């Protein structure tokens, strides 16, 4: 017969492994990649990976709030694209990164609010409402940009995407701030 303390300890270990399996998998994968490529765990590569994933991490922060409330939003990528296209065009034509960014944030907020109103006031299921918004925002982006990339955005936009504060890429700093704000809101 097994000792009850041993059974409890085994269950606790199983629960802990189950709870942290994603992190354990990430650590194992990182260990394998660092053995296969000596440049994987370098300072420059790690910051490059963090910069590349920063946009998805910021979107994930917003999606966390949506999912925690039992909702779903399929339109975030398309709204981001449309807001970004408008902001990029303003920065290209006007040269002011601040005005362009504020306008992009306003457009994203309005489209997100419209999604919320359609779901709450119109009693449309979130999947349907955000699927429709995704299609409309994607189409609006293509029409607005004529299907062409928008270039020549100026130094302000360049810094946001490629700048550094000290040795840390600026997008990583924005991501850390977003994560800290979300943590504070969710913990209070």
């Amino acid at each position: 017969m097994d000792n009850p303390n041993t059974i409890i300890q085994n269950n606790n270990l199983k629960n802990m492994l189950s709870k942290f399996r994603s992190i354990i998998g990430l650590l194992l994968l990182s260990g394998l990649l660092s053995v296969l490529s000596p440049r994987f765990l370098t300072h420059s590569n790690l910051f490059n990976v963090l910069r590349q994933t920063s946009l998805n991490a910021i979107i994930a922060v917003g999606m966390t709030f949506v999912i925690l409330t039992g909702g779903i939003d399929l339109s975030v990528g398309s709204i981001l694209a449309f807001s970004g296209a408008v902001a990029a065009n303003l920065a290209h034509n006007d040269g002011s990164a601040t005005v362009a960014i504020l306008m992009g944030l306003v457009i994203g907020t309005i489209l997100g609010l419209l999604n919320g109103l359609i779901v709450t006031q119109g009693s449309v299921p979130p999947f349907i409402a955000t699927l429709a918004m995704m299609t409309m925002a994607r189409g609006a982006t293509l029409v607005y940009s004529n299907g062409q990339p928008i270039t020549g955005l100026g130094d302000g936009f360049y810094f946001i995407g490629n700048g550094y504060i000290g040795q840390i890429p600026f997008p990583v700093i924005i991501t850390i701030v977003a994560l800290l704000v979300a943590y504070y809101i969710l913990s209070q």
Side-chain angles (χ1 to χ4, degrees):
M1 181 152 79
D2 288 331
N3 182 349
N5 289 335
T6 305
I7 294 172
I8 292 172
Q9 288 174 348
N10 287 340
N11 285 338
N12 287 342
L13 180 62
K14 286 179 187 177
N15 288 339
M16 187 178 74
L17 289 175
S18 175
K19 192 177 194 178
F20 296 109
R21 67 178 170 226
S22 296
I23 293 172
I24 293 168
L26 176 65
L27 292 173
L28 289 173
L29 182 61
S30 296
L32 175 67
L33 291 173
S34 65
V35 168
L36 294 175
S37 172
R39 288 180 284 205
F40 179 75
L41 281 179
T42 63
H43 173 267
S44 61
N45 186 55
L46 291 177
F47 276 136
N48 186 32
V49 169
L50 287 173
R51 178 196 329 247
Q52 291 176 0
T53 59
S54 61
L55 184 60
N56 287 336
I58 293 169
I59 291 172
V61 167
M63 288 302 296
T64 298
F65 288 93
V66 172
I67 292 169
L68 284 174
T69 60
I72 188 168
D73 190 345
L74 304 174
S75 65
V76 291
S78 297
I79 290 175
L80 172 70
F82 181 65
S83 301
V86 171
N89 194 41
L90 284 172
H92 174 76
N93 292 332
D94 185 35
S96 171
T98 305
V99 171
I101 291 167
L102 289 176
M103 185 55 82
L105 289 172
V106 166
I107 289 171
T109 301
I110 289 170
L111 294 178
L113 179 63
L114 183 59
N115 267 344
L117 290 174
I118 290 170
V119 170
T120 58
Q121 302 301 311
S123 299
V124 176
F127 185 88
I128 302 300
T130 60
L131 181 64
M133 180 61 75
M134 177 187 75
T135 304
M136 290 186 293
R138 182 179 294 167
T141 304
L142 286 171
V143 168
Y144 184 81
S145 67
N146 292 321
Q148 300 294 317
I150 302 169
T151 59
L153 307 180
D155 292 338
F157 258 64
Y158 179 82
F159 179 78
I160 291 170
N162 293 315
Y164 286 83
I165 293 183
Q167 297 218 353
I168 302 173
F170 191 66
V172 174
I173 293 171
I174 294 172
T175 303
I176 291 169
V177 169
L179 290 169
L180 290 173
V181 168
Y183 173 78
Y184 177 78
I185 292 169
L186 291 173
S187 65
Q188 301 301 317

